[in-house]
Amino acid sequence: MSQITTIDQVGAYVGQMVTIRGWLYNKRSSGKIRFLLIRDGTGIIQSVVVKSEAAPEAFNATEILTQESSLEISGTVRADARAPGGYELQVSDLRAIQIAEDYPISPKEHGVSFLLDHRHLWLRSSKQHAVLRIRSYVIQAAQTYLNRKGFVLFDAPILTPAACEGTSTLFETDYFYGEKAYLSQSGQLYAEAGAMAFGKVYTLGPTFRAEKSKTRRHLAEFWMLEPEMAFAELEDILSLAEDLVTHLVQSVLTDRSEELKVLERDLTKLQSVVPPFPRITYDQALDLLKEKGISHPWGDDFGANEDAIISEQFDRPVIITHYPLETKAFYMKSDPQKPDLALCVDVLASEGYGEIIGGSQREDDYDTLLQRLVQHNLPRESFEWYLDLRRYGSVPHSGFGLGIERTVAWICGINHLREAIPFPRLLQRMYP
RNA sequence: UCCCCGGUAGCUCAGCUGGUAGAGCGGGUGGCUGUUAACCACUUAGUCGGCGGUUCGAGUCCGUCCCGGGGAGCCA
């Protein structure tokens, strides 16, 4: 048996014999010469089986190989411009491990519903593969970035006793002894406790929303990255958000160019994602909408349409701050200059991808926070621990949440969040 | 919860004003020594989402339910 390697490494073995273990992606036959496209998770390579050159058993094996059959294949690596990827394998030996039967996903077109029913197999196709590799890389790059800045990974619980924000609908489940538990919609409140302990923390994990959202921008289960910093004001997280988003986009551009190519992503759109991002206030956004002929009442949050029109005006993500306080969550701090505004931020991705970041400076005064809890009809008992953070050494602090799937979908240029997570949880769909 | 669109072969779809279902792909068989979603020939393939109604006759019209997709609201 020759040197076992992976497809992404074959360039180092030109002229040598190697063994690849993988699956049959597609095959073409022209009688006595057969072309097998093999994938192994790291890439795809074309293998050429010529009757006069390969072992007879190897040539015969190509006969029975069906799409997605698993196999082990040995041959000489050759550079050839005719092969997709630039290298091909001149096959001398081939062993089928398992013959796949009636693989449902053909290289032709399929509908969304069918593909989602076969998500466990759909993951193998090259576009999905590229998206999920970029997802993996985005999460890794975000963590590397934050770790380097001195942030501590601080995992928040998923089972929580009550609403974090008191706004959205939560998934409810049974806890012990008749108690109820709710799936977390945000790790933020816990991250605030972490910030008071460690200074700078971030949570990273799944969050859950039980709203019956039925759009391409919503998932019932999605991943969120939530940095939280003590001794930080709104301005500090605006810089952090801008810097983090830039870092993610530029890192993918340099380190995941192959995947972006598979996705046929317009790179110029990503290349322009560099500081400074435009920063406008809610009031300025209203003016901007008015210029476009849209009158939006002061006090109302923007809908999908407004977000799209605002972000269209810029070639990079836009930072919107100072929304009306009354529409926002109870923990947001009001602007001392204009108390009816919140010290908060939304970052809208470019190209109409919508909100990828939402954050704020947090209310750090005990009495004000308590008053706001009451205003929002939230049960004080559930938040005693949270109030403690303002009793014992309260400091100005701020943070935001970055939606992983929205960020990945935007970077990849795909039009639905369901492709940005391995197994999406949607309103009508929890299988597979 | 509301609004719009859809459900016909394993997949993607066509099927006009009602007259007993068709193409491409896939599967199968055969051919081809450089294919690129290969190609060529032959072949296989259906409770037309369910139920009820109108009609001599319903994939087609009506009612109703189920399932899916897109959007609104909510938000990452």
Side-chain angles (χ1 to χ4, degrees):
Chain A
M1 184 57 64
S2 54
Q3 176 70 44
I4 292 173
T5 188
T6 49
I7 291 167
D8 57 344
Q9 301 297 317
V10 293
Y13 294 93
V14 174
Q16 296 176 49
M17 179 83 99
V18 297
T19 296
I20 301 282
R21 297 178 296 192
W23 297 265
L24 183 70
Y25 196 68
N26 200 2
K27 83 176 166 183
R28 302 179 197 97
S29 167
S30 184
K32 296 186 180 65
I33 180 166
R34 287 170 188 169
F35 300 92
L36 309 179
L37 285 178
I38 312 288
R39 60 165 199 90
D40 74 345
T42 73
I44 292 182
I45 191 168
Q46 174 165 285
S47 311
V48 189
V49 193
V50 180
K51 188 169 189 180
S52 55
E53 296 169 29
E57 317 83 70
F59 187 81
N60 292 336
T62 62
E63 200 85 55
I64 55 161
L65 283 177
T66 53
Q67 192 188 353
E68 286 302 320
S69 289
S70 47
L71 52 88
E72 192 168 77
I73 192 163
S74 304
T76 310
V77 179
R78 230 175 37 191
D80 192 316
R82 292 170 295 186
Y87 296 103
E88 64 180 21
L89 208 59
Q90 189 72 28
V91 176
S92 48
D93 208 1
L94 184 154
R95 184 174 71 87
I97 296 170
Q98 191 255 340
I99 299 298
E101 263 178 67
D102 295 330
Y103 189 69
I105 301 179
S106 72
K108 296 277 179 176
E109 286 169 29
H110 293 286
V112 168
S113 186
F114 177 81
L115 288 170
L116 284 172
D117 283 342
H118 297 86
R119 181 61 177 170
H120 52 297
L121 304 176
W122 187 22
L123 300 169
R124 302 179 185 191
S125 57
S126 56
K127 185 181 169 192
Q128 300 309 309
H129 195 260
V131 171
L132 293 174
R133 265 192 184 270
I134 287 175
R135 175 194 171 96
S136 163
Y137 188 76
V138 163
I139 292 172
Q140 182 197 319
Q143 293 204 74
T144 306
Y145 173 90
L146 290 172
N147 292 342
R148 209 164 50 214
K149 292 237 166 190
F151 282 78
V152 173
L153 173 62
F154 185 80
D155 301 310
I158 287 168
L159 291 170
T160 60
C164 272
E165 309 189 0
T167 49
S168 5
T169 323
L170 302 175
F171 286 106
E172 184 185 288
T173 185
D174 288 326
Y175 207 58
F176 303 112
Y177 308 115
E179 222 182 327
K180 292 292 177 198
Y182 302 87
L183 300 187
S184 176
Q185 59 168 324
S186 163
Q188 182 209 313
L189 269 48
Y190 297 98
E192 288 184 52
M196 297 305 135
F198 296 91
K200 293 195 270 190
V201 299
Y202 65 97
T203 71
L204 172 63
T207 50
F208 307 86
R209 304 282 162 94
E211 258 103 27
K212 292 191 170 117
S213 299
K214 237 189 134 181
T215 83
R216 75 183 88 175
R217 299 181 309 281
H218 295 269
L219 296 171
E221 178 179 327
F222 67 97
W223 282 61
M224 193 148 60
L225 176 78
E226 296 177 282
E228 188 76 29
M229 292 188 283
F231 303 104
E233 304 193 339
L234 180 63
E235 193 61 30
D236 299 306
I237 56 163
L238 299 189
S239 309
L240 180 68
E242 180 179 78
D243 203 40
L244 173 62
V245 169
T246 301
H247 176 75
L248 296 181
V249 171
Q250 296 306 320
S251 302
V252 171
L253 266 173
T254 46
D255 296 338
R256 284 296 173 268
S257 56
E258 277 305 309
E259 283 76 9
L260 291 173
K261 200 167 147 194
V262 168
L263 296 167
E264 298 174 322
R265 184 65 167 112
D266 181 351
L267 300 182
T268 60
K269 294 280 205 293
L270 296 179
Q271 279 151 359
S272 62
V273 180
V274 288
F277 294 175
R279 296 184 184 187
I280 60 174
T281 63
Y282 173 85
D283 286 339
Q284 288 169 326
L286 279 187
D287 291 343
L288 201 152
L289 287 169
K290 196 176 286 173
E291 281 171 34
K292 298 289 158 192
I294 292 161
S295 65
H296 190 83
W298 194 93
D300 283 9
D301 206 345
F302 299 131
N305 188 37
E306 285 80 12
D307 281 355
I309 288 163
I310 294 164
S311 80
E312 261 172 31
Q313 312 306 315
F314 307 98
D315 68 342
R316 61 197 78 186
V318 52
I319 296 174
I320 308 175
T321 60
H322 300 86
Y323 284 74
L325 184 67
E326 60 177 28
T327 65
K328 292 294 179 179
F330 78 95
Y331 52 74
M332 291 191 182
K333 189 174 178 62
S334 75
D335 186 347
Q337 315 295 312
K338 294 178 183 167
D340 55 345
L341 299 180
L343 293 174
C344 68
V345 54
D346 278 1
V347 178
L348 306 183
S350 35
E351 301 167 79
Y353 274 87
E355 194 179 332
I356 52 169
I357 282 178
S360 71
Q361 184 166 339
R362 321 304 189 190
E363 182 52 68
D364 53 321
D365 177 69
Y366 179 87
D367 293 322
T368 313
L369 185 62
L370 181 57
Q371 190 190 326
R372 301 215 60 208
L373 268 173
V374 172
Q375 278 168 3
H376 281 77
N377 290 316
L378 293 168
R380 177 175 171 166
E381 322 78 72
S382 308
F383 292 94
E384 280 301 337
W385 70 270
Y386 187 64
L387 286 162
D388 271 358
L389 302 177
R390 277 73 178 168
R391 279 195 195 99
Y392 305 111
S394 187
V395 298
H397 63 290
S398 306
F400 62 80
L402 175 136
I404 297 293
E405 289 77 15
R406 286 189 181 176
T407 303
V408 170
W410 165 53
I411 292 175
C412 291
I414 54 175
N415 73 353
H416 205 301
L417 289 196
R418 63 190 164 210
E419 293 179 38
I421 187 168
F423 294 95
R425 292 298 175 246
L426 301 160
L427 181 57
Q428 316 282 12
R429 201 175 272 286
M430 204 173 57
Y431 176 93

